[in-house]
Amino acid sequence: MAEIKKRPRYVKMNGILYPEMFSPNCFKEALEYKPERGDVFICTYPKCGTTWMQNVAMYIFRKGKELDHPSDFLQCAPYIDMLGQESIDKMPRPGAFKTHFSYSHMPYSPDAKYVFVARNPKDCCVSFYYHTRNIPGFGYWDGEFDDFFELFMAGEVEYNDYFDHLLDWYPHRNDPNVFYTTYEDMKKDIKDIILRLSKFLGEEYIEAIEKDNNILNNIVHFSGFQYMKESYSDMCEVEKEGTHLYTGLQYIDEFTKALKLPEDLPEIEFVRKGIVGDWKNHFSSKQNERLNAKFLEKFKDTEVMQWYPLE
């Protein structure tokens, strides 16, 4: 691997790299959680459509009813790796937790349901870079894409190697308690994904949509890119006020404040572009060749080759 000028701030637990700004107690609680009957997990590699799928599932459960305030999203669809048991206990039911654990590390039960989303690794890498650069707690605001690309290729980013993570979930894509889709299919036909996921989550949700088409339209609208972008902007403003619902968020706040932050930090954009193919604006021809070679090595003889034909 080429010499790396700077690395994001990660630590390791149970062999998993995760953000140093996360409370280790919360992360441990997520790893050790014992699922209950009816639990739903949205589990993807970072920057592969997790937030989008969180919103889709949340509004299916809410039958198209808008949140009272954008900040309620943290409670209705909590990121348990970051917030721990407290967020599991506070989540209104029915609902879905977010996690980035691989299948091997996932709190598993045959009585729980799991929603997995895959994404082209090239777009994932680009989105992951901006995510890491834009969140101050990673200490990577001046990190360069070429360095991050090297870390991504080596699997030395949070939640480890993209390719191994996908291969860990891949054999379970047809399990009866797993819903499997891709970011690209969500972009292609979100209504079809909503209908199929509604059926997977429970008959009452697909029946509600079939009885009232406005519910489907609302789910599409409230999980749409522009709506999510505005909602996350509002939610970030609430967080700046320092009134934290969870101890896990307080931990992040205190960790970040202890860093020597520059005054000209990039503006946080959790929902950035949401497009397919942005990698073409960032990858050099050599980087593309190298990722293609690893992709072929890892995914030959799998359906993943059909999902993402090499370019």
Side-chain angles (χ1 to χ4, degrees):
M1 185 170 71
E3 183 180 352
I4 302 297
K5 300 184 188 74
K6 188 168 187 177
R7 295 170 180 265
R9 299 186 65 137
Y10 302 135
V11 288
K12 186 177 285 189
M13 184 183 295
N14 285 25
I16 307 169
L17 284 173
Y18 71 98
E20 187 182 358
M21 64 182 137
F22 282 13
S23 159
N25 288 335
C26 289
F27 196 78
K28 186 171 184 287
E29 288 170 353
L31 276 170
E32 296 178 349
Y33 175 64
K34 304 299 181 188
E36 300 178 0
R37 178 179 292 275
D39 278 351
V40 179
F41 295 83
I42 295 170
C43 27
T44 74
Y45 191 75
K47 309 315 294 179
C48 287
T50 328
T51 302
W52 191 3
M53 183 56 83
Q54 279 180 280
N55 278 271
V56 170
M58 180 180 69
Y59 280 110
I60 289 173
F61 283 131
R62 293 178 63 81
K63 298 179 181 175
K65 183 179 181 293
E66 188 174 16
L67 289 175
D68 293 332
H69 191 276
S71 62
D72 293 342
F73 176 80
L74 287 170
Q75 190 167 5
C76 293
Y79 179 16
I80 64 172
D81 312 5
M82 180 177 74
L83 302 176
Q85 185 67 45
E86 183 183 14
S87 67
I88 294 171
D89 295 339
K90 286 183 176 179
M91 186 188 77
R93 306 281 180 142
F97 313 124
K98 162 188 168 179
T99 176
H100 290 310
F101 293 142
S102 65
Y103 186 86
S104 299
H105 288 104
M106 178 63 56
Y108 182 80
S109 167
D111 296 323
K113 293 182 178 181
Y114 301 84
V115 180
F116 186 85
V117 185
R119 189 181 189 183
N120 187 318
K122 299 174 186 179
D123 280 334
C124 171
C125 178
V126 170
S127 182
F128 210 171
Y129 163 67
Y130 283 105
H131 168 81
T132 307
R133 192 192 70 169
N134 288 351
I135 295 181
F138 285 110
Y140 202 66
W141 49 81
D142 55 352
E144 298 178 1
F145 176 74
D146 288 351
D147 275 353
F148 191 84
F149 175 84
E150 295 297 334
L151 294 171
F152 184 85
M153 288 291 291
E156 296 179 10
V157 290
E158 59 176 308
Y159 297 94
N160 305 359
D161 187 85
Y162 163 96
F163 302 88
D164 292 343
H165 191 284
L166 180 51
L167 282 173
D168 201 25
W169 274 99
Y170 179 78
H172 305 281
R173 66 197 183 283
N174 296 320
D175 289 0
N177 65 335
V178 173
F179 181 92
Y180 211 91
T181 189
T182 69
Y183 184 93
E184 292 74 19
D185 281 346
M186 292 177 72
K187 291 290 291 185
K188 191 182 303 179
D189 191 349
I190 190 60
K191 286 188 176 181
D192 177 66
I193 300 298
I194 291 170
L195 292 172
R196 293 197 293 112
L197 181 61
S198 297
K199 189 172 183 179
F200 173 79
L201 293 176
E203 287 300 320
E204 70 173 283
Y205 305 111
I206 190 65
E207 287 175 1
I209 288 174
E210 289 172 346
K211 288 179 181 177
D212 185 355
N213 194 56
N214 286 326
I215 292 177
L216 176 60
N217 292 334
N218 285 347
I219 296 170
V220 171
H221 174 68
F222 294 139
S223 62
F225 176 79
Q226 194 58 42
Y227 184 88
M228 287 194 298
K229 193 173 181 70
E230 292 171 1
S231 294
Y232 268 86
S233 177
D234 292 343
M235 190 166 67
C236 287
E237 288 302 315
V238 171
E239 281 303 302
K240 286 178 184 177
E241 296 172 6
T243 53
H244 299 300
L245 180 64
Y246 299 105
T247 56
L249 292 177
Q250 185 65 40
Y251 187 98
I252 292 172
D253 189 44
E254 292 171 359
F255 178 91
T256 305
K257 285 178 179 177
L259 299 177
K260 294 181 179 179
L261 302 178
E263 294 182 1
D264 57 342
L265 279 174
E267 182 180 351
I268 294 178
E269 282 188 296
F270 201 83
V271 179
R272 193 177 66 91
K273 281 190 176 181
I275 63 175
V276 173
D278 193 34
W279 67 268
K280 296 176 183 178
N281 299 317
H282 296 79
F283 275 44
S284 68
S285 58
K286 184 62 177 178
Q287 287 170 337
N288 190 42
E289 289 174 10
R290 288 176 57 200
L291 195 144
N292 281 351
K294 184 170 184 178
F295 186 93
L296 186 60
E297 173 194 345
K298 290 284 191 175
F299 296 134
K300 62 182 179 181
D301 304 323
T302 72
E303 293 177 12
V304 182
M305 297 296 300
Q306 299 169 29
W307 302 348
Y308 306 117
L310 298 181
E311 295 184 54

